[in-house]
Amino acid sequence: METVSTNRSYGGTQGVYSHASAETGTEMTFAVYVPDHEEGAKLPVVWYLSGLTCTHANVMEKGEYRRAASELGLIIVAPDTSPRGGGVPDDEAYDMGQGAGFYVDATEEPWAEHFRMRSYFEKELPALIAREFPVDMQRQAIFGHSMGGHGALTIALRNPDRYKSVSAFAPIVSPINCPWGEKALGGYIGSDEAAWREYDACALIEDGARVADILVDQGTSDNFLEEQLKPQLLADACDKAGIKLSLNMREGYDHSYYFISTFMADQLRWHAERL
């Protein structure tokens, strides 16, 4: 692991780091915020997954999480959304290719070699974080925004014993049932829609996956609300499965980091209660 930069902020250290990933076959960059703590202490960790077009930097620069994370004693890890660099395939559209990994392990060409974000995030990066930072891996939480909200929900549902809590800002709750998801899953996974279900939160719940509870904040003025996000599908799935869902429809808020930063501290406090 290489240190790209470190900065002091709110009584903690905001770092940016890189490493050569065996899963993606590329250099991967990620951000970690570590509050000051007693020597030898292990802190709970909250993973934040970003949305389409984003890198680690978007939430680091605009998410306004450090004050709350410092007060609550939470380490925040923000990985990139896809492999990048020379030799990595891309697409002219913003919703496919670099910046749009959808947290899946691709099986279709030209994506299969490098686009292994599921394995990167579920296996490789946690092992690196556990080795290099003072994290208590028995106390993990996960959240994300939009495509990253999709990632957080599906990863938590597939790994219910790993995460104490899961939340999301404006998540893609059912990629099977929206244009973003149909394009990405078809391109990365192929035409067999049965294989898509492990990357769809609503389908995972329908197929028996369970978590204790879920928190979602969703802006009512989000341009993507009706066509892409469809939070009611998650509400229906949770209701049928007996999962407690706190779905907060935030009046007048959109899909931007103005929205995310407004409710960031609320979500971190929610996670801290469960960690």
Side-chain angles (χ1 to χ4, degrees):
M1 187 183 77
E2 301 290 334
T3 299
V4 178
S5 65
T6 58
N7 296 93
R8 293 287 294 164
S9 182
Y10 290 108
T13 300
Q14 177 64 69
V16 177
Y17 308 91
S18 66
H19 73 117
S21 167
E23 287 292 348
T24 69
T26 67
E27 194 80 2
M28 295 294 291
T29 302
F30 58 92
V32 182
Y33 178 73
V34 181
D36 289 349
H37 55 282
E38 294 182 1
E39 185 175 355
K42 298 281 191 177
L43 303 181
V45 57
V46 185
W47 305 85
Y48 178 87
L49 304 186
S50 293
L52 287 167
T53 76
C54 292
T55 71
H56 68 281
N58 295 73
V59 69
M60 185 179 75
E61 295 170 356
K62 298 185 288 187
E64 300 182 23
Y65 57 80
R66 280 174 286 272
R67 182 194 292 270
S70 180
E71 292 172 354
L72 297 166
L74 302 174
I75 289 175
I76 309 294
V77 180
D80 203 348
T81 56
S82 78
R84 300 178 192 272
V88 177
D90 201 5
D91 191 278
E92 292 181 356
Y94 75 95
D95 54 358
M96 196 76 184
Q98 295 187 36
F102 269 84
Y103 305 97
V104 307
D105 279 353
T107 58
E108 299 297 300
E109 297 301 332
W111 315 106
E113 179 180 359
H114 297 293
F115 280 72
R116 296 185 50 79
M117 292 304 292
R118 173 181 178 175
S119 291
Y120 175 73
F121 188 79
E122 289 186 351
K123 299 174 184 177
E124 185 176 20
L125 185 59
L128 177 65
I129 296 297
R131 186 168 65 248
E132 298 287 347
F133 296 93
V135 295
D136 179 356
M137 297 299 277
Q138 300 304 309
R139 292 186 291 164
Q140 298 186 63
I142 186 169
F143 67 149
H145 170 232
S146 194
M147 178 186 72
H150 141 76
L153 292 171
T154 55
I155 290 167
L157 286 163
R158 290 195 305 262
N159 300 275
D161 296 332
R162 180 181 299 186
Y163 303 99
K164 300 292 187 183
S165 53
V166 56
S167 70
F169 300 101
I172 304 170
V173 304
S174 185
I176 289 174
N177 291 298
C178 75
W180 276 341
E182 292 169 0
K183 178 179 179 179
L185 295 179
Y188 292 135
I189 308 300
S191 59
D192 181 7
E193 295 187 13
W196 298 5
R197 295 184 68 82
E198 62 187 293
Y199 296 113
D200 184 297
C202 294
L204 283 165
I205 292 170
E206 290 171 4
D207 293 344
R210 296 291 183 267
V211 293
D213 53 1
I214 298 170
L215 170 64
V216 170
D217 285 299
Q218 172 65 63
T220 62
S221 295
D222 190 320
N223 291 337
F224 303 112
L225 178 58
E226 299 298 330
E227 183 181 25
Q228 304 281 11
L229 306 178
K230 304 181 180 182
Q232 189 58 45
L233 294 178
L234 181 64
D236 292 343
C238 287
D239 183 60
K240 291 177 182 177
I243 297 173
K244 181 182 178 181
L245 171 66
S246 298
L247 174 59
N248 300 316
M249 299 301 296
R250 303 298 190 177
E251 187 66 32
Y253 284 89
D254 59 17
H255 200 68
S256 72
Y257 270 88
Y258 295 108
F259 156 64
I260 296 168
S261 62
T262 300
F263 300 104
M264 175 65 75
D266 292 343
Q267 290 214 5
L268 288 177
R269 283 190 289 268
W270 188 84
H271 286 294
E273 290 172 0
R274 288 153 178 78
L275 291 169

